[in-house]
């Protein structure tokens, strides 16, 4: 793996995204608009907003980055760009690392904007430091990026990418503890939730919501999300093919 080639790949992806304002708008502003909408939905129940809002700061980055990354990677596969890149002296790890780095930059911007709006404009009441939210939110987004890179290998069209969301993302949203405590679920569902990375993303946000400092559970959640992202990125590299379908 070459640092220079990884950075060159990241710069190329960022240049392409710069000419796609709709994608930039989706990444940066849709999570903010959804948080504002949620704020007014729970206008009469601020405690519910605090609880759900903190959880969604972990969910939104993963969902949006999954969707954007999978579609962007699929376009490169179907257009032949990926095949041309892999015919060059470019390792799969360089390509995957470049994509992860490029979308990671956007993930940090997205997380910073959403967290700033939630904490300082919507008065999200958290016991811990907002900076802790900015530690785990980009990792959540990176995990979404990794899942998007992996899933794009199995889709032949953008419509099929969207079809993967009910299979990959929706079960995690239902089982992550957003709608009901994971401990109150049926044992099978609780066990399944314990192996899904989004559960730990939400748990990490909940730790910041209720504790003034970084707890051991927070660092555990952080490690699980980061490890899951690294594992899926490795699987994503394994799915890269030198020939398009």
């Amino acid at each position: 793996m070459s640092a220079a080639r990884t950075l060159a790949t990241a710069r190329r992806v960022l240049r392409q995204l710069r000419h796609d304002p709709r994608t930039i708008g989706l990444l940066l502003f849709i999570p903010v608009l959804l948080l504002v909408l949620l704020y007014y939905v729970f206008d009469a129940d601020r405690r519910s907003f605090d609880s759900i809002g903190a959880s969604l700061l972990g969910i939104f980055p993963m969902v949006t980055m999954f969707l954007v990354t999978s579609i962007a990677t699929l376009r490169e596969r179907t257009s032949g760009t990926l095949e041309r890149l892999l015919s060059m002296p470019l390792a799969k790890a360089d390509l995957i690392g470049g994509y992860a780095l490029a979308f990671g930059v956007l993930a940090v911007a997205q997380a910073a904007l959403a967290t700033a709006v939630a904490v300082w404009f919507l008065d999200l009441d958290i016991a811990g430091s907002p900076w802790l939210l900015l530690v785990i939110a980009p990792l959540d987004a990176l995990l979404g990026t990794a899942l998007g890179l992996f899933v794009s290998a199995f889709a032949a069209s953008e419509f099929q990418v969207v079809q993967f969301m009910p299979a990959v993302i929706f079960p995690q949203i239902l089982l992550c503890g957003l709608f009901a405590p994971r401990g109150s679920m049926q044992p099978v569902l609780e066990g399944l939730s314990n192996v899904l990375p989004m559960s730990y993303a939400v748990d990490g946000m909940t730790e910041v919501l209720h504790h003034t400092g970084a707890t051991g559970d927070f660092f555990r959640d952080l490690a699980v999300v980061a490890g899951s992202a690294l594992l899926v990125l490795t699987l994503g590299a394994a799915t890269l093919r030198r020939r398009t379908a």
Side-chain angles (χ1 to χ4, degrees):
M1 183 175 181
S2 168
R5 291 169 182 168
T6 299
L7 291 173
T9 301
R11 286 195 295 269
R12 181 184 65 82
V13 174
L14 289 174
R15 282 197 301 269
Q16 289 178 332
L17 289 173
R18 186 180 60 186
H19 298 294
D20 189 354
R22 286 178 295 183
T23 298
I24 298 297
L26 172 67
L27 287 174
L28 296 182
F29 299 113
I30 293 300
V32 172
L33 292 176
L34 291 175
L35 282 172
V36 172
L37 176 62
L38 185 70
Y39 174 84
Y40 286 106
V41 168
F42 289 102
D43 188 43
D45 188 0
R46 292 304 313 279
R47 183 173 299 180
S48 294
F49 171 75
D50 293 335
S51 177
I52 297 177
S55 298
L56 290 180
L57 282 175
I59 294 174
F60 283 157
M62 188 183 300
V63 174
T64 55
M65 296 306 293
F66 168 83
L67 186 60
V68 170
T69 304
S70 57
I71 291 177
T73 310
L74 177 67
R75 286 177 179 175
E76 298 225 322
R77 289 179 186 273
T78 56
S79 67
T81 301
L82 183 62
E83 184 175 350
R84 290 193 296 271
L85 289 172
L86 290 176
S87 67
M88 301 168 62
L90 182 70
K92 292 182 179 181
D94 295 328
L95 190 61
I96 290 293
Y99 270 95
L101 182 60
F103 285 106
V105 170
L106 292 174
V108 171
Q110 180 198 69
L113 180 60
T115 301
V117 170
V119 174
W120 286 293
F121 290 92
L122 302 180
D123 295 323
L124 180 68
D125 187 15
I126 57 174
S129 169
W131 295 108
L132 293 177
L133 298 178
L134 288 178
V135 172
I136 194 167
L139 283 178
D140 298 339
L142 181 60
L143 177 59
T145 296
L147 289 170
L149 288 169
F150 177 67
V151 164
S152 67
F154 305 99
S157 66
E158 295 178 9
F159 179 68
Q160 288 186 5
V161 167
V162 176
Q163 288 179 313
F164 272 109
M165 288 197 68
V168 177
I169 298 297
F170 289 175
Q172 297 195 63
I173 294 177
L174 293 175
L175 298 175
C176 69
L178 177 64
F179 300 105
R182 292 195 289 129
S184 67
M185 297 178 184
Q186 291 292 325
V188 173
L189 295 180
E190 182 182 0
L192 182 59
S193 73
N194 288 336
V195 299
L196 296 176
M198 187 180 290
S199 300
Y200 297 91
V202 171
D203 285 351
M205 293 298 182
T206 303
E207 288 295 308
V208 180
L209 179 67
H210 295 297
H211 300 279
T212 56
T215 64
D217 287 341
F218 175 81
F219 286 113
R220 178 209 63 189
D221 298 331
L222 205 67
V224 171
V225 173
S228 299
L230 181 60
L231 174 62
V232 179
L233 282 174
T234 303
L235 293 174
T239 64
L240 286 179
R241 300 184 299 272
R242 292 186 179 274
R243 291 184 180 275
T244 55

Short mmCIF file of all heavy atoms in Angstrom, two decimals, residues 1-17 76 81-82 85-86 88-103 149 240:
data_model
loop_
_atom_site.label_atom_id
_atom_site.label_comp_id
_atom_site.label_asym_id
_atom_site.label_seq_id
_atom_site.Cartn_x
_atom_site.Cartn_y
_atom_site.Cartn_z
N MET A 1 0.85 -1.20 0.00
CA MET A 1 0.00 0.00 0.00
C MET A 1 0.88 1.24 0.00
O MET A 1 1.82 1.34 0.79
CB MET A 1 -0.92 0.00 1.22
CG MET A 1 -1.89 1.18 1.26
SD MET A 1 -3.05 1.04 2.65
CE MET A 1 -4.01 2.53 2.39
N SER A 2 0.61 2.18 -0.90
CA SER A 2 1.40 3.40 -1.04
C SER A 2 0.60 4.60 -0.56
O SER A 2 -0.54 4.82 -1.00
CB SER A 2 1.80 3.60 -2.51
OG SER A 2 2.32 4.89 -2.72
N ALA A 3 1.20 5.38 0.34
CA ALA A 3 0.52 6.57 0.86
C ALA A 3 0.26 7.58 -0.26
O ALA A 3 -0.79 8.22 -0.30
CB ALA A 3 1.36 7.20 1.97
N ALA A 4 1.21 7.71 -1.18
CA ALA A 4 1.06 8.68 -2.27
C ALA A 4 -0.11 8.28 -3.18
O ALA A 4 -0.91 9.14 -3.59
CB ALA A 4 2.35 8.77 -3.08
N ARG A 5 -0.23 7.00 -3.49
CA ARG A 5 -1.30 6.55 -4.36
C ARG A 5 -2.65 6.64 -3.65
O ARG A 5 -3.67 6.95 -4.28
CB ARG A 5 -1.03 5.12 -4.82
CG ARG A 5 0.15 5.01 -5.77
CD ARG A 5 0.55 3.56 -5.99
NE ARG A 5 1.71 3.47 -6.87
CZ ARG A 5 2.43 2.37 -7.06
NH1 ARG A 5 2.06 1.25 -6.43
NH2 ARG A 5 3.46 2.36 -7.85
N THR A 6 -2.67 6.35 -2.36
CA THR A 6 -3.91 6.47 -1.60
C THR A 6 -4.38 7.92 -1.58
O THR A 6 -5.57 8.20 -1.79
CB THR A 6 -3.70 5.98 -0.16
OG1 THR A 6 -3.31 4.59 -0.19
CG2 THR A 6 -4.97 6.12 0.66
N LEU A 7 -3.46 8.85 -1.34
CA LEU A 7 -3.81 10.27 -1.32
C LEU A 7 -4.26 10.75 -2.70
O LEU A 7 -5.18 11.55 -2.82
CB LEU A 7 -2.63 11.11 -0.83
CG LEU A 7 -2.27 10.96 0.65
CD1 LEU A 7 -0.99 11.71 0.97
CD2 LEU A 7 -3.41 11.48 1.52
N ALA A 8 -3.61 10.24 -3.75
CA ALA A 8 -4.00 10.62 -5.11
C ALA A 8 -5.42 10.14 -5.41
O ALA A 8 -6.22 10.85 -6.03
CB ALA A 8 -3.02 10.04 -6.11
N THR A 9 -5.75 8.94 -4.97
CA THR A 9 -7.11 8.42 -5.15
C THR A 9 -8.12 9.26 -4.40
O THR A 9 -9.19 9.59 -4.91
CB THR A 9 -7.18 6.96 -4.67
OG1 THR A 9 -6.25 6.16 -5.42
CG2 THR A 9 -8.59 6.40 -4.86
N ALA A 10 -7.77 9.64 -3.17
CA ALA A 10 -8.68 10.46 -2.36
C ALA A 10 -8.90 11.81 -3.02
O ALA A 10 -10.04 12.31 -3.06
CB ALA A 10 -8.10 10.64 -0.95
N ARG A 11 -7.85 12.42 -3.56
CA ARG A 11 -8.00 13.72 -4.23
C ARG A 11 -8.89 13.59 -5.46
O ARG A 11 -9.71 14.48 -5.74
CB ARG A 11 -6.62 14.28 -4.61
CG ARG A 11 -5.81 14.82 -3.44
CD ARG A 11 -4.64 15.66 -3.94
NE ARG A 11 -3.69 14.84 -4.68
CZ ARG A 11 -2.63 14.24 -4.15
NH1 ARG A 11 -2.41 14.38 -2.84
NH2 ARG A 11 -1.81 13.54 -4.89
N ARG A 12 -8.74 12.51 -6.20
CA ARG A 12 -9.59 12.32 -7.38
C ARG A 12 -11.05 12.21 -7.01
O ARG A 12 -11.92 12.82 -7.64
CB ARG A 12 -9.14 11.06 -8.13
CG ARG A 12 -9.94 10.78 -9.40
CD ARG A 12 -9.52 9.48 -10.04
NE ARG A 12 -9.82 8.33 -9.18
CZ ARG A 12 -11.01 7.76 -9.10
NH1 ARG A 12 -12.04 8.23 -9.81
NH2 ARG A 12 -11.20 6.72 -8.32
N VAL A 13 -11.35 11.45 -5.97
CA VAL A 13 -12.74 11.28 -5.53
C VAL A 13 -13.30 12.61 -5.05
O VAL A 13 -14.45 12.97 -5.37
CB VAL A 13 -12.83 10.22 -4.42
CG1 VAL A 13 -14.24 10.15 -3.86
CG2 VAL A 13 -12.40 8.86 -4.96
N LEU A 14 -12.50 13.38 -4.31
CA LEU A 14 -12.97 14.67 -3.80
C LEU A 14 -13.21 15.66 -4.94
O LEU A 14 -14.16 16.45 -4.89
CB LEU A 14 -11.97 15.24 -2.80
CG LEU A 14 -11.91 14.52 -1.44
CD1 LEU A 14 -10.77 15.08 -0.59
CD2 LEU A 14 -13.23 14.67 -0.70
N ARG A 15 -12.37 15.61 -5.98
CA ARG A 15 -12.59 16.47 -7.14
C ARG A 15 -13.90 16.12 -7.83
O ARG A 15 -14.65 17.01 -8.27
CB ARG A 15 -11.42 16.35 -8.13
CG ARG A 15 -10.18 17.12 -7.72
CD ARG A 15 -9.24 17.31 -8.91
NE ARG A 15 -8.83 16.01 -9.47
CZ ARG A 15 -7.75 15.35 -9.09
NH1 ARG A 15 -6.96 15.85 -8.14
NH2 ARG A 15 -7.44 14.19 -9.67
N GLN A 16 -14.19 14.85 -7.95
CA GLN A 16 -15.45 14.43 -8.57
C GLN A 16 -16.64 14.88 -7.74
O GLN A 16 -17.64 15.37 -8.28
CB GLN A 16 -15.46 12.91 -8.73
CG GLN A 16 -14.52 12.39 -9.79
CD GLN A 16 -14.53 10.88 -9.87
OE1 GLN A 16 -14.79 10.19 -8.90
NE2 GLN A 16 -14.23 10.33 -11.04
N LEU A 17 -16.54 14.74 -6.43
CA LEU A 17 -17.65 15.14 -5.57
C LEU A 17 -17.85 16.65 -5.59
O LEU A 17 -18.98 17.13 -5.43
CB LEU A 17 -17.39 14.66 -4.14
CG LEU A 17 -17.50 13.15 -3.90
CD1 LEU A 17 -17.04 12.81 -2.50
CD2 LEU A 17 -18.93 12.68 -4.13
N GLU A 76 -18.51 3.81 -10.75
CA GLU A 76 -17.16 3.58 -11.24
C GLU A 76 -17.01 2.15 -11.76
O GLU A 76 -16.25 1.91 -12.70
CB GLU A 76 -16.15 3.86 -10.12
CG GLU A 76 -16.18 5.30 -9.64
CD GLU A 76 -14.80 5.87 -9.48
OE1 GLU A 76 -13.91 5.13 -9.03
OE2 GLU A 76 -14.62 7.07 -9.78
N THR A 81 -14.41 2.74 -15.06
CA THR A 81 -13.33 3.49 -14.41
C THR A 81 -12.55 2.59 -13.45
O THR A 81 -11.32 2.65 -13.40
CB THR A 81 -13.91 4.68 -13.64
OG1 THR A 81 -14.62 5.53 -14.53
CG2 THR A 81 -12.81 5.48 -12.97
N LEU A 82 -13.28 1.76 -12.72
CA LEU A 82 -12.62 0.88 -11.76
C LEU A 82 -11.68 -0.09 -12.46
O LEU A 82 -10.56 -0.33 -12.01
CB LEU A 82 -13.67 0.13 -10.94
CG LEU A 82 -13.13 -0.78 -9.84
CD1 LEU A 82 -12.39 0.03 -8.79
CD2 LEU A 82 -14.26 -1.56 -9.20
N LEU A 85 -8.55 1.74 -13.49
CA LEU A 85 -7.70 2.04 -12.34
C LEU A 85 -6.93 0.80 -11.88
O LEU A 85 -5.74 0.88 -11.56
CB LEU A 85 -8.54 2.59 -11.19
CG LEU A 85 -9.10 4.00 -11.36
CD1 LEU A 85 -10.07 4.32 -10.22
CD2 LEU A 85 -7.97 5.02 -11.39
N LEU A 86 -7.62 -0.34 -11.86
CA LEU A 86 -6.97 -1.56 -11.40
C LEU A 86 -6.00 -2.14 -12.41
O LEU A 86 -5.23 -3.04 -12.09
CB LEU A 86 -8.04 -2.60 -11.03
CG LEU A 86 -8.86 -2.28 -9.78
CD1 LEU A 86 -9.95 -3.32 -9.57
CD2 LEU A 86 -7.97 -2.19 -8.55
N MET A 88 -3.78 -0.25 -13.68
CA MET A 88 -2.58 0.53 -13.38
C MET A 88 -1.89 -0.08 -12.16
O MET A 88 -2.44 -0.94 -11.47
CB MET A 88 -2.98 1.99 -13.10
CG MET A 88 -3.70 2.66 -14.26
SD MET A 88 -4.46 4.23 -13.77
CE MET A 88 -2.98 5.15 -13.28
N PRO A 89 -0.66 0.35 -11.88
CA PRO A 89 0.03 -0.14 -10.68
C PRO A 89 -0.57 0.45 -9.40
O PRO A 89 0.05 1.21 -8.66
CB PRO A 89 1.47 0.33 -10.88
CG PRO A 89 1.37 1.53 -11.76
CD PRO A 89 0.20 1.25 -12.68
N LEU A 90 -1.82 0.11 -9.16
CA LEU A 90 -2.55 0.63 -8.01
C LEU A 90 -3.11 -0.55 -7.23
O LEU A 90 -3.91 -1.33 -7.75
CB LEU A 90 -3.71 1.53 -8.48
CG LEU A 90 -4.56 2.20 -7.41
CD1 LEU A 90 -3.76 3.28 -6.68
CD2 LEU A 90 -5.81 2.81 -8.03
N ALA A 91 -2.68 -0.70 -6.00
CA ALA A 91 -3.13 -1.82 -5.18
C ALA A 91 -4.58 -1.61 -4.77
O ALA A 91 -5.06 -0.48 -4.69
CB ALA A 91 -2.24 -1.96 -3.94
N LYS A 92 -5.26 -2.73 -4.51
CA LYS A 92 -6.64 -2.64 -4.05
C LYS A 92 -6.72 -1.85 -2.75
O LYS A 92 -7.66 -1.07 -2.54
CB LYS A 92 -7.23 -4.03 -3.87
CG LYS A 92 -7.43 -4.81 -5.15
CD LYS A 92 -8.06 -6.16 -4.86
CE LYS A 92 -8.29 -6.94 -6.16
NZ LYS A 92 -8.92 -8.25 -5.89
N ALA A 93 -5.73 -2.04 -1.89
CA ALA A 93 -5.72 -1.32 -0.62
C ALA A 93 -5.60 0.19 -0.84
O ALA A 93 -6.18 0.99 -0.09
CB ALA A 93 -4.59 -1.82 0.26
N ASP A 94 -4.84 0.60 -1.87
CA ASP A 94 -4.72 2.02 -2.19
C ASP A 94 -6.07 2.59 -2.61
O ASP A 94 -6.44 3.70 -2.21
CB ASP A 94 -3.71 2.23 -3.33
CG ASP A 94 -2.30 1.84 -2.94
OD1 ASP A 94 -1.96 2.00 -1.76
OD2 ASP A 94 -1.55 1.38 -3.82
N LEU A 95 -6.79 1.83 -3.42
CA LEU A 95 -8.08 2.30 -3.91
C LEU A 95 -9.10 2.40 -2.78
O LEU A 95 -9.77 3.42 -2.61
CB LEU A 95 -8.59 1.36 -5.00
CG LEU A 95 -9.82 1.82 -5.79
CD1 LEU A 95 -9.54 3.12 -6.52
CD2 LEU A 95 -10.27 0.75 -6.76
N ILE A 96 -9.19 1.34 -1.99
CA ILE A 96 -10.13 1.34 -0.87
C ILE A 96 -9.75 2.41 0.14
O ILE A 96 -10.61 3.15 0.66
CB ILE A 96 -10.16 -0.04 -0.20
CG1 ILE A 96 -10.82 -1.07 -1.12
CG2 ILE A 96 -10.89 0.01 1.13
CD1 ILE A 96 -12.30 -0.83 -1.35
N GLY A 97 -8.46 2.51 0.44
CA GLY A 97 -8.01 3.54 1.39
C GLY A 97 -8.29 4.94 0.89
O GLY A 97 -8.65 5.82 1.68
N GLY A 98 -8.13 5.17 -0.42
CA GLY A 98 -8.42 6.49 -0.98
C GLY A 98 -9.88 6.85 -0.86
O GLY A 98 -10.22 7.99 -0.51
N TYR A 99 -10.75 5.89 -1.18
CA TYR A 99 -12.18 6.13 -1.02
C TYR A 99 -12.54 6.41 0.44
O TYR A 99 -13.30 7.33 0.76
CB TYR A 99 -12.98 4.93 -1.53
CG TYR A 99 -13.35 5.02 -2.98
CD1 TYR A 99 -12.55 4.43 -3.96
CD2 TYR A 99 -14.48 5.71 -3.40
CE1 TYR A 99 -12.88 4.50 -5.30
CE2 TYR A 99 -14.82 5.78 -4.74
CZ TYR A 99 -14.01 5.18 -5.68
OH TYR A 99 -14.35 5.27 -7.01
N ALA A 100 -12.01 5.58 1.34
CA ALA A 100 -12.31 5.76 2.76
C ALA A 100 -11.82 7.12 3.25
O ALA A 100 -12.50 7.79 4.03
CB ALA A 100 -11.66 4.64 3.57
N LEU A 101 -10.65 7.54 2.78
CA LEU A 101 -10.11 8.83 3.21
C LEU A 101 -10.95 9.99 2.67
O LEU A 101 -11.26 10.94 3.40
CB LEU A 101 -8.66 8.96 2.73
CG LEU A 101 -7.92 10.25 3.13
CD1 LEU A 101 -7.86 10.38 4.65
CD2 LEU A 101 -6.50 10.24 2.54
N ALA A 102 -11.32 9.91 1.39
CA ALA A 102 -12.10 10.99 0.79
C ALA A 102 -13.46 11.14 1.47
O ALA A 102 -13.87 12.23 1.87
CB ALA A 102 -12.28 10.74 -0.71
N PHE A 103 -14.16 10.04 1.60
CA PHE A 103 -15.46 10.11 2.25
C PHE A 103 -15.32 10.35 3.75
O PHE A 103 -16.24 10.87 4.38
CB PHE A 103 -16.26 8.83 1.98
CG PHE A 103 -16.83 8.76 0.60
CD1 PHE A 103 -16.28 7.91 -0.35
CD2 PHE A 103 -17.90 9.55 0.24
CE1 PHE A 103 -16.79 7.85 -1.64
CE2 PHE A 103 -18.43 9.50 -1.04
CZ PHE A 103 -17.88 8.65 -1.98
N LEU A 149 -18.99 0.42 0.19
CA LEU A 149 -18.00 -0.14 -0.71
C LEU A 149 -18.20 -1.64 -0.89
O LEU A 149 -18.07 -2.18 -1.99
CB LEU A 149 -16.59 0.14 -0.17
CG LEU A 149 -16.10 1.59 -0.24
CD1 LEU A 149 -14.83 1.76 0.57
CD2 LEU A 149 -15.87 2.01 -1.69
N LEU A 240 -13.14 -6.28 -4.87
CA LEU A 240 -12.77 -5.52 -6.06
C LEU A 240 -12.31 -6.48 -7.15
O LEU A 240 -11.48 -7.37 -6.92
CB LEU A 240 -11.65 -4.53 -5.74
CG LEU A 240 -12.04 -3.30 -4.92
CD1 LEU A 240 -10.83 -2.45 -4.66
CD2 LEU A 240 -13.09 -2.50 -5.64
#
